[in-house]
Amino acid sequence: MIRNVVGAVLALAGATAAVLSPFRAWYDGRHGRDYALDELFTGITGAKADPWWSLLLPFALAALLTLVGVVLRSRPLVALAGLVVLGFTVFWMVRVGQYRGGLTVDGAGTGLGDGVANALGGGILLLLGALVMSGRRRRARRGTERREGPGDVEEPRPYAPPPGTPDPREAPVADPYGAPAGDPRESSAQGPYDPYDPYGSYDPHGSEPTRTFEVPGQDRGRDQGRDQGPDRGRDPDGPGSEPR
């Protein structure tokens, strides 16, 4: 985000310098808007050109490309605008050098003027802006979405298994106190919890018979109580028994 802002500022500054350069002196006090575009191909003359058919036209198109590139955060468009400005400036310098027999830099205003410096500086700023800009962020890797904002936070997508694949989150979990997960004998062999039989009679492998535990002496005491009393040894249903 910060890189895009800094790159946009550099690009806009370079486009502004490039557009203003034709209104400055380029060589011997002659402004850039006085050089016609066809003179770059046919030869430099002393005729004054139409401003919209001069060096102002390619520089205005470069400024338009810069605006579109900044809005779309497109590094190629901004870089293309910088190449257009630098290309036409260097091409003009070559043609003027052929016409004049060489280029000179003179502080008295008889050589290269500040308009050429503005054009060269604007093209360099456009290229720097394209290098600094981070451009439009694409998806970094599959399964994540990148959100534009401070810090460029990545948000994971919700998990979705492929079609026909069971969801691992719904897989049965093994019971640490009972039968293994997914045992078909679990529902039939293991009954409800019996407080009088804490060890249970469930056998996960089915190889041992059901075992029960009895308290020693429980049945013996019950039989002893039956043999004591006045009716000891009598048949409760035999002759001489009292009706109930």
Side-chain angles (χ1 to χ4, degrees):
M1 185 66 180
I2 297 178
R3 291 182 57 185
N4 285 329
V5 173
V6 175
V9 171
L10 292 175
L12 293 177
T16 303
V19 172
L20 293 179
S21 63
F23 298 94
R24 308 290 296 178
W26 278 55
Y27 199 82
D28 287 343
R30 187 179 179 183
H31 290 184
R33 66 177 183 270
D34 295 335
Y35 292 94
L37 286 179
D38 53 1
E39 292 182 357
L40 299 179
F41 303 96
T42 60
I44 301 297
T45 63
K48 189 175 182 180
D50 184 12
W52 290 108
W53 187 245
S54 64
L55 293 177
L56 179 61
L57 179 60
F59 291 166
L61 293 178
L64 181 60
L65 287 176
T66 303
L67 291 177
V68 176
V70 169
V71 172
L72 299 179
R73 290 177 292 180
S74 175
R75 300 175 62 185
L77 288 180
V78 177
L80 178 61
L83 293 178
V84 168
V85 174
L86 290 178
F88 274 92
T89 303
V90 173
F91 191 28
W92 174 88
M93 293 175 66
V94 172
R95 300 300 291 178
V96 172
Q98 294 176 353
Y99 175 73
R100 295 285 184 174
L103 297 176
T104 60
V105 180
D106 189 0
T110 57
L112 292 174
D114 54 355
V116 179
N118 290 342
L120 292 176
I124 294 174
L125 286 178
L126 285 171
L127 293 180
L128 288 178
L131 291 176
V132 172
M133 291 176 62
S134 60
R136 299 179 67 89
R137 292 294 183 87
R138 295 182 179 180
R139 190 171 301 170
R141 56 181 179 271
R142 187 176 182 182
T144 60
E145 294 181 352
R146 184 175 294 274
R147 181 183 61 190
E148 289 291 342
D152 291 338
V153 181
E154 293 185 359
E155 296 182 351
R157 285 183 174 181
Y159 175 78
T165 303
D167 192 348
R169 296 174 297 181
E170 300 179 358
V173 181
D175 186 4
Y177 302 102
D183 195 336
R185 294 171 295 177
E186 179 180 2
S187 59
S188 60
Q190 186 178 7
Y193 175 74
D194 187 1
Y196 297 99
D197 190 5
Y199 298 99
S201 58
Y202 169 71
D203 181 13
H205 303 288
S207 59
E208 296 182 3
T210 303
R211 295 177 297 177
T212 57
F213 295 88
E214 298 181 357
V215 179
Q218 181 177 3
D219 295 339
R220 183 184 302 175
R222 185 168 51 198
D223 295 339
Q224 291 178 359
R226 182 185 302 174
D227 295 339
Q228 295 178 1
D231 296 333
R232 184 178 66 177
R234 295 182 181 180
D235 186 3
D237 298 329
S241 61
E242 297 181 359
R244 297 181 181 178

